[in-house]
Amino acid sequence: MEVSKLFTTAFFILQTLILVSSAPGNSNLFREYIGAEFKNVRFSDLPINKNVEFHFILSFAIDYTTSSSASPTNGKFNIFWDTDNLTPSQVTAIKSKNSNVKVALSLGGDSVGGGYAYFNPSSVNSWLSNAVSSLTHIIQEYNLDGIDIDYEHFQTDPDTFAQCIGQLISTLKKNGVISVASIAPYDDDQVQSHYMALWKSYGHLIDYVNFQFYAYDQGTTVSQFMDYFETQRSNYKGGKILPSFISDGSGGLSPENGFFTACSKLKSEGNLHGIFVWCADDSKALDFKYEKHSQSLLAISH
């Protein structure tokens, strides 16, 4: 009888360990923004672990004019990343060399032409028509796989934002133009009101939530980070929330202060859906050491 109990207990412990190590929520996804800071970084500069799914995110495409006094174009997107070093041929080359690589583009960002990049549509239908047309052209020219939504300033209400962006994602996916869509909110009342409205109506079309945890205060602790993560899991119910850090250490939980400890805790809970980094432009000076660490952790996380 005692032997039987002992065997049953041992089997239960082993089964639990197996379930934790292979928890279905864990993923080997690594994502990194690239090109916004014009520091001559190329796709080929980054270390790519063959055992992860690797997404580059070109930053940014913005619906503003490219003149020095940039102005809104109502959904007619232009390219604002480092096109000298991040070209269509280089997208094709990095994807051909690495079957585990996808490349997306991010929309919006914080600023353009010395001012904020506002989401400022004239109407849902006109913005959507322009956005579908201009983005389809860019995505096909660059052989891209997806879009990321990173608007951070708004001159419209949350519902209009939700309808514009939600219908954009829906249309591009339906047309076979993209296969991946993500959003990149952070902890700000106006930002959250817009993205949570989008999530409420179109969350089923959004593959990843690239939550900007580095927008929290510099010096964030592991315990605080875990609390923040739970808060965002509640805000974006059912979403794949990705933990994140900023390369220059200017905010949030840094790699030096416990970011990977937090990721290991998430992994043990089955909640490590991937990791993303802002940004390759700054990481280049650090020889991408934290990218290597991130990918090593992810390669055994699922």
Side-chain angles (χ1 to χ4, degrees):
M1 184 69 174
E2 292 302 318
V3 173
S4 175
K5 283 183 179 178
L6 186 63
F7 177 80
T8 301
T9 302
F11 179 77
F12 176 77
I13 292 171
L14 179 61
Q15 189 177 45
T16 301
L17 287 171
I18 291 171
L19 286 171
V20 167
S21 64
S22 61
N26 290 334
S27 166
N28 66 343
L29 176 64
F30 178 80
R31 316 188 89 202
E32 182 139 19
Y33 291 84
I34 186 171
E37 297 181 3
F38 291 80
K39 294 185 177 179
N40 300 316
V41 64
R42 297 187 173 203
F43 301 121
S44 56
D45 291 336
L46 277 83
I48 298 174
N49 187 316
K50 296 294 185 183
N51 296 313
V52 304
E53 181 180 353
F54 195 114
H55 292 182
F56 287 103
I57 306 176
L58 291 163
S59 311
F60 291 95
I62 314 174
D63 54 333
Y64 269 68
T65 60
T66 55
S67 60
S68 56
S69 56
S71 58
T73 56
N74 190 39
K76 296 178 181 177
F77 282 86
N78 289 303
I79 293 171
F80 286 84
W81 64 75
D82 182 358
T83 53
D84 288 340
N85 292 288
L86 302 166
T87 65
S89 63
Q90 287 167 340
V91 171
T92 299
I94 199 70
K95 289 171 68 173
S96 297
K97 187 177 179 181
N98 302 276
S99 61
N100 58 325
V101 165
K102 291 182 179 179
V103 184
L105 60 77
S106 188
L107 309 183
D110 175 60
S111 60
V112 60
Y116 287 143
Y118 286 100
F119 184 76
N120 186 26
S122 299
S123 69
V124 172
N125 288 341
S126 64
W127 186 92
L128 180 63
S129 177
N130 289 336
V132 169
S133 176
S134 60
L135 287 172
T136 297
H137 174 74
I138 294 171
I139 290 165
Q140 292 179 342
E141 179 188 2
Y142 274 79
N143 186 25
L144 304 179
D145 303 284
I147 61 172
D148 173 69
I149 310 301
D150 190 25
Y151 281 102
E152 302 183 2
H153 308 282
F154 308 88
Q155 290 182 333
T156 190
D157 62 278
D159 185 60
T160 299
F161 175 73
Q163 292 306 313
C164 286
I165 299 299
Q167 290 185 50
L168 173 65
I169 294 171
S170 176
T171 302
L172 292 178
K173 282 195 168 186
K174 193 181 301 180
N175 291 349
V177 177
I178 63 170
S179 58
V180 179
S182 59
I183 57 175
Y186 62 95
D187 189 34
D188 171 89
D189 288 346
Q190 186 187 42
V191 169
Q192 290 282 63
S193 68
H194 284 73
Y195 281 92
M196 288 170 69
L198 171 62
W199 184 261
K200 182 179 180 181
S201 297
Y202 293 95
H204 61 288
L205 295 175
I206 297 167
D207 300 287
Y208 307 106
V209 179
N210 287 9
F211 199 85
Q212 298 182 45
F213 288 100
Y214 45 82
Y216 288 107
D217 290 343
Q218 186 179 25
T220 295
T221 65
V222 171
S223 176
Q224 288 172 326
F225 183 94
M226 298 302 289
D227 287 343
Y228 296 152
F229 190 90
E230 282 304 310
T231 297
Q232 302 316 324
R233 282 187 71 204
S234 175
N235 286 337
Y236 299 94
K237 280 187 170 61
K240 293 180 178 178
I241 316 292
L242 271 57
S244 58
F245 65 87
I246 189 167
S247 303
D248 66 9
S250 60
L253 177 60
S254 68
E256 295 95 333
N257 292 333
F259 176 77
F260 295 114
T261 299
C263 287
S264 294
K265 288 179 179 287
L266 292 174
K267 173 184 169 184
S268 71
E269 298 170 356
N271 290 324
L272 185 58
H273 304 295
I275 292 171
F276 85 87
V277 181
W278 177 274
C279 61
D281 305 55
D282 287 333
S283 292
K284 186 176 181 180
L286 302 172
D287 194 31
F288 304 106
K289 63 179 179 179
Y290 297 125
E291 282 78 356
K292 295 170 188 173
H293 192 157
S294 298
Q295 292 178 73
S296 294
L297 175 64
L298 292 166
I300 56 170
S301 71
H302 72 303

